[in-house]
Amino acid sequence: MVRSRSPFVALAALALLGTNGAAQSGSPPERAIRRDIPLTSTIRRAFAGGTRDSTGRPGPNYWQLRTDYTISARLDPATSRISGRETVVIHNTSPDSLTRIFLRLDPNIFLGSSPRAASSVPAENTDGMVITKITLNDRAVNLTPAPPPARGGPDPARPVELGAWDLNTTLARIALPTPLNARSTATLEIDWSFKLPGGPGQGHRMTMRWGDTLYQPTQWYPRVAVYDDLRGWDTELYLGPSEFYNNFGRFDVKIDVPAGWIVSGTGVLQNPEEVLTPAARQRLARVLESDDIRTIVGPDEIGPGAATAAGDRLVWHFVADTVNDFAWATAKKYVWQATRATIPGKGPVPVHMVFLPERARFYANAGPITRHALEFYSQLWFPYEFPQLTLQDGPSAGMEYPMVINSNQGAADHETGHQWWPMMVSNNETWYGWMDEGFNQYMNILSAADTRQSPPNLDGLGQSYGRISGTEAEPPMMWNANYAGPMYGFQTYSKTPLMLSMLGGIVGDSAVRRAHAEWGKAWRFKHPSPWDYMFFMSNALKHDLGWFWYYWLFTTESVDGSIQSVSTEGVRTTVVVRQDGQMPSPVVLKVQFVPTGPAIRPMPNAAMLDAVTALVTYPVDVWFSGNRSFTAVLDFGGRPIERISFDPYCRFPDRNPSDNVWPREAAPPAQPQTGGCRG
Ligand SMILES: [Zn+2]
């Protein structure tokens, strides 16, 4: 979803939390630098099972569940209620026998009794997800089973009942008397209904309709939770802010709405001849011919026989082959426009936009913005794999689903970016929001630069983290984002571009992008963990980056570098660099010489940026002995030095950048904005 347009809104808010730019007083103790990537029991289990390994690629024994859904749903605008019947075929590709199945019933967050984060207030309390029937392999599941024993575990003498517990929460559990064996399938059938909550609500996804004329159903059907090699069943509750973690599978969805209402959704419409007018079908047939914005159903084409085929009600049939969710929207008076994006190596795909006629101004630039995003991100990472993308108007204006974004032009670039994560590369957003929103914020910076036709500039981003690092309010990025609290936005959205700015400062931004793209390709339509990312990137970048991942992802530490002293004796200049933070960094010094004098001789670890400027680099290893001070001896042949700066591209987190320069300058530190760096 979309939050802040700028990663620095959160930073500015953090500055108010009481941190300041003052250097630490007193001398911190010598530091022991941790150089390995911490392994928790979850990733150790995966390594032991061969499902993942330190290459960062899927291991030889990698598996993931597949869940195939067939859903028939009917919308009744008079009651704002969807009634559905679904069949889920669960392919247990795991090596485990499953004795339980967990069901996600997110609409129960609208019951009013479910736990939720303070920032997410439902627009309306409803009766939640009402389940009237469940069968498993044609056997009835008891929806009102006896409660389990309070203590001491199940009674071995009492047979397990095929029953469903906690149906009034967002995470229900079906107990299986006969386990679902490894590498077998089971079929769930569920009858359900729920009322879509109206507005106004606070927080994303808390409002799903405007009156009784526009609906944006999301998290709208009972879905089977993920069972994976890391934690088994994913039993994280849906609390509102944190997003999702879903199985891949096929969706075959039939949506029954009043005739005249346009329906958009995940997948490809299977029956245009039954639901569209001949005119709309003719217009659609030309969408891929050019970048023109074409009107498929105009603002004057309203009702049965004009907006859609004639009749009383129509059933719209969508199929998506491999996706991790399904979302849709419908309105009595949607305008439908379409254009195309040309995916490299693949060809054109349609971009659809459905919006209310009075809100057309919010979609005036949506087509070109979305086209640019699809084409740019396809080049940056790997080609967009889905057959279409649709922008849907409504109360949710910044949320993403496979092939569908609930967005107008404002968030179109960001929400389109989510088609890469989590839609094609299915990260666990609930735990690791930074692998979803954070990666997306990073690529949005690159996309914006491409739109401006200027090179991306990540200078200053990494350094800005030093201003806030160390506050107790900040959870480390590896902390479960579902419980990140008030710093959720910084932890999941804003910090990742700062981290990748520093990484680019070490290995180069283009190398970061290439490695990240390779990682994404390796995990297309799979579920990577953060460790897969860390190991893959270290391998691809051919750097021992354990220390980097440790400090950025598992701590809230920073570098806090400074130039302590500079002295010249003969042709040699001695620079003492100090690091007061716990995070180390390479020592990167920009050395500016006076315009004339003795010839500037080369140094082995230096590169000339121009005739009078050298960049000298010492690897991060210089700190591994534990020292906080490093003495760099510069021998360029005696040309006097005018100015030296540590971290000249402002990539390393620093509490007080003004002491990175020699001689000290009175100028205030650079403002924290993209490209805000005066190294
Ligand atoms: Zn987002």
Side-chain angles (χ1 to χ4, degrees), residues 1-2 243 400 414-415 418 436-437 440 493:
M1 75 179 193
V2 71
E243 294 181 336
E400 64 279 4
H414 176 88
E415 305 310 342
H418 278 304
D436 165 48
E437 301 296 357
N440 203 354
Y493 285 76

Side-chain angles (χ1 to χ4, degrees), residues 139 142 145-149 154-163 165 175-178:
R139 287 183 59 203
N142 186 354
D155 175 1
R158 190 172 112 183
V160 174
E161 180 182 10
L162 180 59
W165 282 268
L176 310 182
T178 311

Side-chain angles (χ1 to χ4, degrees), residues 259-393:
W261 290 53
I262 287 170
V263 181
S264 59
T266 301
V268 174
L269 181 64
Q270 301 294 299
N271 60 341
E273 68 292 340
E274 290 174 17
V275 296
L276 303 183
T277 63
R281 298 204 305 271
Q282 283 169 14
R283 295 165 191 164
L284 269 179
R286 301 195 56 196
V287 165
L288 298 185
E289 288 176 5
S290 76
D291 286 352
D292 294 347
I293 308 287
R294 292 176 188 275
T295 297
I296 310 302
V297 176
D300 302 327
E301 295 170 297
I302 298 167
T308 68
D312 175 35
R313 293 186 67 94
L314 296 172
V315 177
W316 297 60
H317 183 194
F318 294 87
V319 170
D321 279 328
T322 301
V323 288
N324 54 18
D325 202 354
F326 188 103
W328 55 287
T330 188
K332 197 172 184 177
K333 290 181 185 172
Y334 262 154
V335 173
W336 180 356
Q337 291 187 334
T339 183
R340 71 172 184 185
T342 304
I343 308 302
K346 176 176 175 178
V349 296
V351 175
H352 301 284
M353 296 171 277
V354 291
F355 53 87
L356 296 184
E358 63 270 27
R359 290 169 50 80
R361 66 187 185 282
F362 298 120
Y363 287 82
N365 296 316
I369 290 171
T370 307
R371 169 169 42 248
H372 175 267
L374 282 171
E375 295 175 354
F376 177 76
Y377 295 137
S378 290
Q379 289 279 4
L380 183 65
W381 307 131
F382 54 86
Y384 182 64
E385 300 253 1
F386 297 128
Q388 59 102 352
L389 183 67
T390 301
L391 288 76
Q392 302 181 152
D393 194 10

Side-chain angles (χ1 to χ4, degrees), residues 8 38 78 84 122 216 220 250 263 319 346 348 396 415 421 446 450 477 522-523 526 601 654 678:
F8 295 98
Q216 272 179 314
W220 57 284
R250 184 175 195 269
V263 181
V319 170
K346 176 176 175 178
S396 167
E415 305 310 342
W421 7 89
L446 308 181
D450 189 71
M477 285 157 84
W523 287 95
K526 295 188 171 70
R601 287 211 307 252
D654 209 322
R678 194 183 159 268

